[in-house]
Amino acid sequence: PLHVPYDPDPAHARKSLQLAQSAGAQRFIVLPSLQRWSLDILSEIRHITVAGVTVGFRSRMPGFSSVEIDQEHAAALAVEHLADLSHKRICVLDGSQAYEEFKVRSRIWRSAVRRLGMKLEPLDSESPDIKICQAKWSRALRRCTAVGACDDDSAFRALQVAHSLGITVPGQLSSIGFD
């Protein structure tokens, strides 16, 4: 296996693909974490005519198969798990709204929290800066018993902020990330 790292520069992506092809790559796996880039890279892969598979989103390109993820069911199961643990007030970290799967997860998180009669505390997770998150989230994190995040990075930031506030995990706060 040859790992072609993410690079936002199309020229570098093209060079990486050419390197992979010259190394004998015959198939590619395209992951969804950078879907916008992945779609661009798929068009490049098409030009070098090899087979591949996309994971998490559907490709209509010849020679590519797709493995799709049921975002809705998985997000609902995560919230139901928190309800099964008797959590009543959930902080929800939406993740970057630049990615379609985060938008779906956010909508399902919110819907499932309401359906299960839990209280919802939405938190803005766009800033990667812990100090900004600490200032924005401290009041809500002290009121909630659990944090549900639409991506692992946001869940990790919530754990860091909770720790900095002296909130114990899992003692005072549970955390679940879905990615």
Side-chain angles (χ1 to χ4, degrees):
L2 177 67
H3 175 254
V4 180
Y6 167 72
D7 190 322
D9 182 340
H12 291 148
R14 189 174 298 107
K15 188 174 181 177
S16 293
L17 283 171
Q18 290 168 344
L19 172 66
Q21 186 181 29
S22 68
Q26 297 175 350
R27 290 177 177 72
F28 289 87
I29 298 173
V30 183
L31 301 173
S33 56
L34 300 159
Q35 186 170 344
R36 194 169 296 152
W37 177 83
S38 298
L39 294 174
D40 293 339
I41 206 78
L42 283 175
S43 66
E44 292 295 324
I45 291 172
R46 181 176 55 195
H47 297 312
I48 61 172
T49 61
V50 295
V53 61
T54 60
V55 178
F57 62 98
R58 182 177 300 247
S59 171
R60 298 193 188 332
M61 295 184 62
F64 272 77
S65 301
S66 298
V67 176
E68 294 189 64
I69 299 168
D70 187 343
Q71 301 282 338
E72 293 188 20
H73 185 69
L77 285 174
V79 175
E80 289 170 9
H81 174 70
L82 294 175
D84 289 345
L85 295 174
S86 300
H87 291 287
K88 301 291 182 209
R89 186 178 289 268
I90 311 293
C91 287
V92 176
L93 292 156
D94 291 330
S96 172
Q97 294 299 293
Y99 300 104
E100 191 59 36
E101 62 265 26
F102 291 174
K103 290 177 186 178
V104 170
R105 291 176 197 163
S106 175
R107 180 176 49 79
I108 298 306
W109 274 102
R110 291 165 183 266
S111 173
V113 165
R114 287 185 198 100
R115 176 177 50 83
L116 295 169
M118 304 158 95
K119 300 284 186 206
L120 174 72
E121 292 270 350
L123 297 177
D124 168 24
S125 61
E126 288 292 324
S127 176
D129 186 293
I130 296 302
K131 292 203 183 300
I132 291 172
C133 292
Q134 186 176 16
K136 287 182 169 183
W137 300 350
S138 63
R139 205 167 130 223
L141 284 177
R142 291 181 198 283
R143 287 194 307 256
C144 290
T145 60
V147 173
C150 292
D151 65 283
D152 292 338
D153 291 339
S154 295
F156 183 69
R157 269 196 310 283
L159 291 175
Q160 289 177 304
V161 171
H163 177 75
S164 74
L165 295 170
I167 299 170
T168 61
V169 178
Q172 296 169 287
L173 186 71
S174 291
S175 176
I176 188 167
F178 171 53
D179 204 350

